[in-house]
Amino acid sequence: MRIRLLARMHLGTMAVLSVLTLSACLLVAGLPRATQGSYDEALRRALNAAPAAQTDLTVTVESHGQGEDLRERAQFDTRERLWREITPAGLRPLTTGAGHMSAKTSLTPVTGTGGGMYVNLSWLSDADRRVDWVGGRAPGAPATTRYEGETIPVFEVGIVEEALPEMGLRLGQTIMLGENDYAAVKIVGVFRAKDPGDRAWSHDADLLHVIQQKPPGGKDHVNHITTLMSDAGLTALSGEGRNLSYRWILPLDPRAAGALDVPDLRAAVAEFARVVGLQTTGSPYHVETALPKLLGDFLAALSTAQTVMYLVLGGLLAVGLGVIVLAVQLLADKLDHPLTLARARGGSLPQVAGTAAALAALAVLPAALLGYAVSFLVPGPALPIVHAGPALVVVVAVGFAAVRTGLAHRTPLHGSRGDVATARPSARRITLEVLVVGLALAGAYLLRARGLSASGGQDPFLLVVPIALTVAAALITLRCYPYPLRLLVRLASRGRAAVPFLGLTRAARARSGSLLPVLILLPALGVSVFAAVVSDGIATTQRTASWQQVGAPIRVTAESEIPAEAIERVRRLAGVEQVVLAQTGRVQVGYGAEQAEAIAVDVAQWRRLLDGAPVALPPLSDGALVSPELRGRGTFEIGWQSRVKLATRGVVASVPGFFTEGKFLVVPIGVQIRPAVNTLLIAGDVPLPELARLVPAAVVTSQESALRAIQDDPLTSTVRWTLLIVTAALAAYALIAVVLSLVIGAAERARAVSFLRTLGLSERQAQRLTVLEILPMILVTALVGLGLGLVLPAALGPGVDLSSYAGDLPVGEYSLDLFLPSALTAGLAAVALLGAYAHTAISRRRSLGAVLRVGDLS
């Protein structure tokens, strides 16, 4: 066989097959790289956003006596080298940064305060590079003094600048610590953090800020501050008589983390904790980290993203392969005549099949290699599917060409009857198809009933059910499609016009083999509609979540009261349309210890401000709206600025911008004797920095910024962009499938139309006949695909939790937006109509005599 000659003769078909292969390989290799790259970026961003105290590995041990005390830096260094040596290999790339060590006391009371004030002692191994001394001097070696007949240590310490006024301390002051085992601290220096935003400070926030804690059963908050001492202070610091702990922090570098490594990282952290525990010589060593929980939360969100990606990318791959198979079938049909002659002249079956396979390989192999190579321009790791996807495309295309040609040319001078009605399916086949449909429906019901598997990871059941539903829809369409058409045929047969009868009859008598190419539309439309519906559901829920987080177009909140002058300046600011005043705080419910969060606001004004927003509150003129935890109390009393009796006027599950769970209530702002406004709800187009300038002590947020923060999450943007790309690709493949199905049946259709034209069929009638033959199947398939795409989100709802991409709100109510499905259906119908008119125009150029001679020969 002259492969090159055949390739030149069918260059157009070869080019179409190459372009389809290139696009399919690029999508199947590029999209997984992009999605996995976004998963990695999402993991790194999540770890960066978490405090270092949660992500880092902290080895800690308590000292209970002099035998367990560490008195010099060298002892800390020795143990740090040990921790790094026993770090599992999976964690070492993430813990290469320089860590730090510390020694701290906790709950060290100031003598004579009865537990009303605590001043703790601490040593940081890297204090010299983390603090600047802005007053006094750096601490030196400890001294001793006599107190109540005992010699006690006197530690020189430094204290953070802001703690002096808050704690009532001063530079040069000496403070006695302890209630029985005494020690003294002399404040010799005042420090300030060189970089307060350094992640390492999350381990030592007690050095930078006064910590207020409320002891159990106490009414007032107690202040705690931790001071800083020198290396020499370790020589006198002992765990005997006070709470002393040592820490070694191994910082985690999120830049080295990858989403594929998450399961191994969790196992490595557990192994590290186990090995550290084995090093115990006195008090046990522990590993403190929230890294497993962070990784678990990420895996939960990632699992959902992967499920959605598997569904849409799997559908894209299946549809792409189907369209490529259609193009191979078109090439095989064009090769049918020369291969038949070659077979009749003595060509062997392997030669004939090999020729078709070689031509297919000549078209798809270079295109697949090019698509595979271009995919490496997409940032992201190379997953197995990146290599296997293009190879699968090549194998399917070449294999189908060889198998189809071999089956068609099993015997020389093969022939077939085109006027034989389709055989009835066997009872075994019908039973099998009914079983598939029943299993698909049962699987969808069970998925909704049981939800996801609790074992974690991907639930195979979730991936099988959509495939089963698609196959079931295809089988039902194949079997049921002819029956309504036959009814239309009977109606058309009563009329005098022949074109409707002939067109619908040919459509109803189409064999399964001619219907299968068009059924590629079903998964294409089903998956694209599913992707569009899910994407729209995510977008809608994201907007709702942003309003739920902020509660107004713009919200200004402060811990203390906002001055009236600042409120007036905000009202006069250009662009401000409405300002609603509110006061938030914690109130006493009844006369016991029960407390609840409360907001006092003019609900009527707030409702006007939320007009048109996806969140709302019921009206309230008096009384209170309460949370479900406070329901059923009737009239109750609260203590805020004064004692107020309130009647329950309604129950609300959440208050937009403020409360989503727990005990809370909404009251009219008029119940306050003098409202201490600490919250402003603003409508209008106002620059946020300008508001922050007018109210310096407040935090300014907006609904638009909250929405951007939700949408900019890497996982969220990846899911939405992938859904958009897949929707566009599937729409293109659906249109290509229609075109290819028209071209594949063009020769047979042209022969039938030409014969009918010899009997007096006009050109316009020929066009209508072709449209009636093609359009019903396309419309039926489009409607079934539309229904499948709309059913899939509801069927998979319990198994696909998309709340991670919608501000933690569940995405469950998918709106029925028929714009995209209608556009796809209209586009497919338009392509079918254009194909029908093009087919008629081409058929008009044929010589009817030539057609008759060909028909006579057959």
Side-chain angles (χ1 to χ4, degrees):
M1 287 289 182
R2 301 179 65 180
I3 303 297
R4 293 185 178 179
L5 178 61
L6 290 175
R8 286 199 301 268
M9 291 176 59
H10 305 290
L11 186 60
T13 306
M14 298 276 287
V16 170
L17 182 56
S18 296
V19 171
L20 291 176
T21 303
L22 173 63
S23 65
C25 291
L26 180 58
L27 288 173
V28 79
L31 282 179
R33 288 177 65 95
T35 55
Q36 190 61 45
S38 70
Y39 298 158
D40 294 345
E41 176 61 26
L43 174 61
R44 293 162 191 157
R45 186 177 295 188
L47 294 179
N48 263 322
Q54 296 183 11
T55 60
D56 295 346
L57 303 177
T58 302
V59 181
T60 180
V61 65
E62 294 182 358
S63 174
H64 298 291
Q66 295 184 4
E68 299 176 354
D69 292 338
L70 303 181
R71 298 302 182 95
E72 57 184 16
R73 178 187 285 265
Q75 294 176 293
F76 284 88
D77 293 336
T78 300
R79 284 163 174 77
E80 185 191 29
R81 287 192 295 269
L82 174 61
W83 307 144
R84 293 191 179 273
E85 288 173 1
I86 65 176
T87 300
L91 279 174
R92 287 178 184 172
L94 280 71
T95 56
T96 56
H100 70 276
M101 303 162 287
S102 67
K104 289 184 181 180
T105 67
S106 59
L107 295 176
T108 308
V110 176
T111 304
T113 62
M117 179 186 297
Y118 293 87
V119 175
N120 300 309
L121 302 168
S122 75
W123 165 80
L124 294 182
S125 62
D126 56 350
D128 55 339
R129 69 174 182 83
R130 292 172 60 185
V131 301
D132 287 324
W133 296 99
V134 296
R137 59 177 175 83
T144 60
T145 187
R146 299 287 295 177
Y147 184 75
E148 293 190 356
E150 297 181 3
T151 301
I152 63 172
V154 179
F155 295 94
E156 290 190 353
V157 300
I159 192 169
V160 71
E161 191 176 24
E162 72 175 48
L164 292 177
E166 289 191 40
M167 300 282 290
L169 303 175
R170 66 182 185 277
L171 186 64
Q173 182 180 1
T174 299
I175 306 170
M176 298 302 299
L177 303 179
E179 298 296 346
N180 44 38
D181 193 339
Y182 299 104
V185 294
K186 183 178 181 180
I187 303 175
V188 300
V190 178
F191 66 83
R192 181 187 303 160
K194 290 184 177 181
D195 181 11
D198 187 350
R199 285 172 51 83
W201 281 116
S202 69
H203 293 280
D204 306 301
D206 53 335
L207 273 85
L208 294 187
H209 305 286
V210 175
I211 307 299
Q212 290 189 336
Q213 295 180 350
K214 190 174 183 179
K219 296 183 178 180
D220 299 324
H221 288 86
V222 177
N223 290 334
H224 299 247
I225 191 61
T226 301
T227 59
L228 185 62
M229 65 183 184
S230 65
D231 292 5
L234 288 173
T235 59
L237 187 63
S238 175
E240 187 173 350
R242 54 181 51 89
N243 302 317
L244 175 61
S245 61
Y246 303 121
R247 291 181 175 84
W248 292 262
I249 288 88
L250 305 182
L252 191 81
D253 184 5
R255 295 173 297 178
L260 294 175
D261 303 326
V262 168
D264 294 335
L265 285 178
R266 298 179 74 187
V269 172
E271 175 64 15
F272 181 62
R274 185 188 69 83
V275 176
V276 166
L278 297 177
Q279 310 303 315
T280 299
T281 56
S283 297
Y285 289 93
H286 302 283
V287 175
E288 296 178 353
T289 180
L291 184 58
K293 181 182 183 303
L294 293 173
L295 295 177
D297 294 342
F298 174 78
L299 273 182
L302 178 63
S303 177
T304 302
Q306 287 177 329
T307 299
V308 176
M309 294 301 100
Y310 287 157
L311 291 177
V312 297
L313 292 179
L316 177 63
L317 176 60
V319 172
L321 288 175
V323 173
I324 290 174
V325 165
L326 278 180
V328 173
Q329 181 179 345
L330 176 61
L331 178 62
D333 288 346
K334 291 183 177 295
L335 293 175
D336 185 71
H337 182 64
L339 293 182
T340 299
L341 291 178
R343 188 82 169 100
R345 292 172 180 174
S348 65
L349 187 60
Q351 286 178 323
V352 172
T355 299
L359 279 173
L362 186 62
V364 302
L365 189 56
L369 291 175
L370 180 59
Y372 175 71
V374 173
S375 71
F376 279 84
L377 298 177
V378 179
L383 302 174
I385 186 62
V386 173
H387 311 298
L392 178 63
V393 171
V394 173
V395 169
V396 169
V398 176
F400 179 78
V403 171
R404 184 189 182 284
T405 304
L407 293 175
H409 295 275
R410 290 190 302 271
T411 58
L413 296 177
H414 67 286
S416 62
R417 292 284 302 274
D419 58 344
V420 178
T422 303
R424 291 178 177 271
S426 64
R428 180 180 301 176
R429 181 172 179 179
I430 292 177
T431 303
L432 180 61
E433 292 177 355
V434 171
L435 179 62
V436 170
V437 174
L439 289 177
L441 296 176
Y445 171 77
L446 289 176
L447 182 61
R448 291 191 61 87
R450 77 172 178 88
L452 281 179
S453 171
S455 59
Q458 290 299 319
D459 187 351
F461 199 64
L462 182 61
L463 302 177
V464 170
V465 169
I467 298 174
L469 288 175
T470 303
V471 173
L475 292 175
I476 293 174
T477 303
L478 274 174
R479 290 291 163 234
C480 298
Y481 161 73
Y483 298 107
L485 284 184
R486 289 173 186 175
L487 179 60
L488 293 177
V489 168
R490 289 188 179 183
L491 295 176
S493 64
R494 298 178 182 179
R496 301 182 59 183
V499 170
F501 173 76
L502 291 174
L504 294 174
T505 299
R506 286 180 57 83
R509 291 184 178 181
R511 296 188 299 272
S512 297
S514 61
L515 295 177
L516 286 176
V518 183
L519 284 181
I520 294 175
L521 297 174
L522 194 145
L525 288 173
V527 175
S528 63
V529 171
F530 167 76
V533 170
V534 170
S535 180
D536 184 67
I538 292 175
T540 301
T541 310
Q542 284 176 341
R543 182 171 178 269
T544 302
S546 66
W547 279 98
Q548 186 69 45
Q549 290 178 9
V550 181
I554 301 173
R555 188 186 68 198
V556 179
T557 56
E559 294 185 1
S560 57
E561 182 178 0
I562 300 176
E565 298 80 7
I567 297 176
E568 285 304 314
R569 288 196 297 268
V570 170
R571 291 184 187 276
R572 293 194 299 267
L573 190 63
V576 172
E577 299 173 1
Q578 184 180 355
V579 177
V580 179
L581 309 182
Q583 179 185 353
T584 61
R586 179 172 287 271
V587 301
Q588 180 186 22
V589 180
Y591 289 91
E594 185 180 15
Q595 293 186 330
E597 300 292 337
I599 177 172
V601 65
D602 188 328
V603 176
Q605 292 186 14
W606 194 3
R607 283 168 53 85
R608 286 194 295 271
L609 185 139
L610 292 175
D611 186 30
V615 294
L617 279 173
L620 177 70
S621 58
D622 63 344
L625 301 173
V626 301
S627 65
E629 288 82 351
L630 294 175
R631 75 168 67 202
R633 306 205 178 193
T635 300
F636 59 99
E637 191 169 333
I638 65 170
W640 201 347
Q641 290 179 347
S642 60
R643 306 298 301 183
V644 181
K645 286 188 176 182
L646 299 168
T648 301
R649 300 302 185 191
V651 178
V652 288
S654 63
V655 178
F658 296 93
F659 318 122
T660 58
E661 59 183 4
K663 297 179 180 180
F664 57 82
L665 62 152
V666 182
V667 301
I669 198 169
V671 303
Q672 298 285 58
I673 298 175
R674 191 195 70 81
V677 175
N678 58 6
T679 301
L680 304 179
L681 305 174
I682 302 172
D685 185 10
V686 188
L688 301 189
E690 185 66 17
L691 285 173
R693 184 186 64 83
L694 294 179
V695 192
V699 177
V700 181
T701 57
S702 70
Q703 179 266 329
E704 292 183 356
S705 62
L707 180 59
R708 285 195 301 270
I710 296 173
Q711 294 174 339
D712 290 345
D713 178 78
L715 279 182
T716 302
S717 58
T718 297
V719 169
R720 293 207 63 195
W721 274 107
T722 303
L723 292 175
L724 179 61
I725 293 173
V726 169
T727 301
L730 288 174
Y733 278 142
L735 295 176
I736 293 172
V738 172
V739 174
L740 289 178
S741 63
L742 288 171
V743 176
I744 288 174
E748 181 182 355
R749 196 177 303 109
R751 186 180 300 113
V753 170
S754 298
F755 273 112
L756 291 174
R757 287 186 62 194
T758 63
L759 300 177
L761 190 72
S762 67
E763 179 180 343
R764 177 166 296 184
Q765 288 176 321
Q767 291 172 345
R768 291 168 54 197
L769 176 66
T770 305
V771 169
L772 286 174
E773 178 184 350
I774 297 172
L775 201 57
M777 187 59 196
I778 293 176
L779 292 178
V780 170
T781 308
L783 291 176
V784 174
L786 169 62
L788 178 64
L790 295 176
V791 165
L792 279 178
L796 305 180
V800 181
D801 180 13
L802 299 172
S803 60
S804 300
Y805 319 113
D808 296 327
L809 285 185
V811 183
E813 297 182 1
Y814 298 99
S815 59
L816 185 61
D817 186 1
L818 297 180
F819 172 76
L820 179 61
S822 302
L824 286 175
T825 304
L828 296 176
V831 170
L833 290 173
L834 291 175
Y837 283 101
H839 152 75
T840 307
I842 295 174
S843 300
R844 189 173 63 243
R845 301 176 183 176
R846 288 191 173 192
S847 170
L848 296 184
V851 173
L852 285 175
R853 286 197 296 272
V854 172
D856 291 340
L857 290 174
S858 64

